[in-house]
Amino acid sequence: QVQLVESGGGLVQAGGSLRLSCAASGRTFSSYAMGWFRQAPGKEREFVAGINWSGGSTFYADSVKDRFTISRDNAKNTVYLQMNSLKPEDTGVYYCAARRTTNWVVSTQAYDYTTWGQGTQVTVSS
């Protein structure tokens, strides 16, 4: 089973950009679909973006579509989330998650993902 470590969070002004990274341990990273979720204070954890094992299929929450891009580098065991045009409502703790599957379609459900990182804080000021 992989272990996940996120990095790249921080404080940014509205309209700015951040790039999150999630490094995975283990030799089977290419067998995992990956997802990014976030949780704002007082709110439930929500799906942000997902990518299948090969990188050939991605899916985004409507709230981040056309602003965020998920990608992966299986040679580096890393998944990325490029976040542009950030808004204050993007503030929260961002979690990387892994699901061992070779399904083409990406799941948006947190319960499908079996391994989670510790999270990285993203704060967008207005």
Side-chain angles (χ1 to χ4, degrees):
Q1 191 164 346
V2 295
Q3 292 183 317
L4 306 173
V5 178
E6 302 100 331
S7 61
L11 173 64
V12 64
Q13 288 188 331
S17 297
L18 282 175
R19 187 195 196 200
L20 304 184
S21 297
C22 173
S25 65
R27 295 179 294 175
T28 58
F29 180 68
S30 60
S31 299
Y32 286 81
M34 302 298 295
W36 284 98
F37 291 77
R38 68 187 180 190
Q39 187 165 20
K43 294 188 176 182
E44 292 187 354
R45 190 172 298 189
E46 64 174 356
F47 173 83
V48 175
I51 188 166
N52 75 345
W53 62 276
S54 71
S57 177
T58 59
F59 193 79
Y60 298 90
D62 287 343
S63 58
V64 307
K65 203 172 294 184
D66 299 327
R67 299 189 297 123
F68 290 11
T69 302
I70 189 171
S71 61
R72 68 188 295 157
D73 186 338
N74 285 348
K76 295 182 178 180
N77 281 15
T78 303
V79 62
Y80 306 97
L81 185 68
Q82 177 66 44
M83 306 186 295
N84 299 329
S85 303
L86 282 161
K87 305 175 181 179
E89 51 264 44
D90 293 319
T91 294
V93 178
Y94 281 68
Y95 298 91
C96 173
R99 177 193 185 200
R100 184 154 190 166
T101 181
T102 53
N103 286 352
W104 190 257
V105 176
V106 173
S107 171
T108 64
Q109 302 301 313
Y111 56 71
D112 279 332
Y113 294 83
T114 55
T115 304
W116 293 78
Q118 83 288 351
T120 185
Q121 177 70 45
V122 171
T123 303
V124 184
S125 64
S126 57

